[in-house]
Amino acid sequence: MARAGLTPERLAREGAEMADEVGFENVTASALARRFDVKVASLYSHVRSSRDLRTRIALLALEEMADRASEAVAGRAGKDALGALANVYRDYAREHPGRYEAAQLRLDPETAAASAGVRHARTTRAILRGYELAEPDQTHAVRLLGSVFHGYVTLEMGGGFSHSAPDTQETWSRTIDALDALLRNWPAA
């Protein structure tokens, strides 16, 4: 029976798979219903709307990335930890482009506060402790790192660096080196 086994978690997971295949912007409750060969109404007993479905996919992606980040940086410090965290963003975006896009979905404050996004910030702050940054510089550095990682990944995934040498891996490595140098010599306010 086609409807057997539908749960909010299964719908979110299948929606995440769909996002990787066709793009996050194309994931809707009706598209997912077609994938399960059920009526849209069948999905609404598990998710409230397409927005709810998209939020669940975003939360799944944030959780997956946070798990990877925690594992990648465990036992590392300084530039080694910084590079490991950066590579989580880049590798996840390459492996799961739709989920990575979903992770950028703007969440309402209550949902965001309960999401794995908080773990991302904690992991980044743990790395920054090795650079001895105090507040508010630590918050500025969290924002800087997130902006650089996301900006680079977005440009690279969009083909923005494919038209010229050197290889993007070389630029990525140099970017991590530059961030490490900046964090070690953070400018005084």
Side-chain angles (χ1 to χ4, degrees), residues 26-185:
N26 295 314
V27 177
T28 63
S30 59
L32 194 57
R34 284 191 299 275
R35 196 169 177 122
F36 278 104
D37 195 28
V38 298
K39 296 189 183 304
V40 175
S42 299
L43 267 61
Y44 288 137
S45 61
H46 305 287
V47 295
R48 293 183 305 274
S49 62
S50 286
R51 174 66 187 184
D52 181 37
L53 173 64
R54 292 168 60 81
T55 298
R56 290 173 185 274
I57 295 167
L59 293 172
L60 171 72
L62 288 168
E63 188 75 31
E64 289 175 345
M65 288 179 65
D67 289 346
R68 286 184 180 201
S70 295
E71 187 175 315
V73 304
R76 298 176 188 231
K79 183 178 154 189
D80 191 34
L82 179 65
L85 179 64
N87 286 331
V88 165
Y89 278 79
R90 189 174 185 220
D91 294 346
Y92 190 82
R94 288 173 161 180
E95 293 169 30
H96 300 291
R99 293 177 201 208
Y100 182 79
E101 184 182 349
Q104 310 312 312
L105 183 70
R106 184 176 187 153
L107 303 172
D108 66 75
E110 184 177 314
T111 302
S115 79
V118 174
R119 284 178 48 211
H120 286 279
R122 270 195 234 126
T123 300
T124 305
R125 286 178 185 280
I127 291 168
L128 291 172
R129 280 195 294 273
Y131 292 98
E132 299 179 12
L133 296 179
E135 284 300 343
D137 290 331
Q138 192 176 92
T139 296
H140 295 314
V142 168
R143 291 172 180 170
L144 171 72
L145 294 176
S147 298
V148 171
F149 299 160
H150 178 65
Y152 191 97
V153 165
T154 300
L155 288 168
E156 184 179 37
M157 297 291 291
F161 303 139
S162 62
H163 60 278
S164 63
D167 180 71
T168 58
Q169 180 57 44
E170 183 180 339
T171 305
W172 181 249
S173 295
R174 301 271 314 257
T175 299
I176 303 307
D177 290 345
L179 288 170
D180 176 64
L182 173 64
L183 292 170
R184 288 183 191 287
N185 300 293

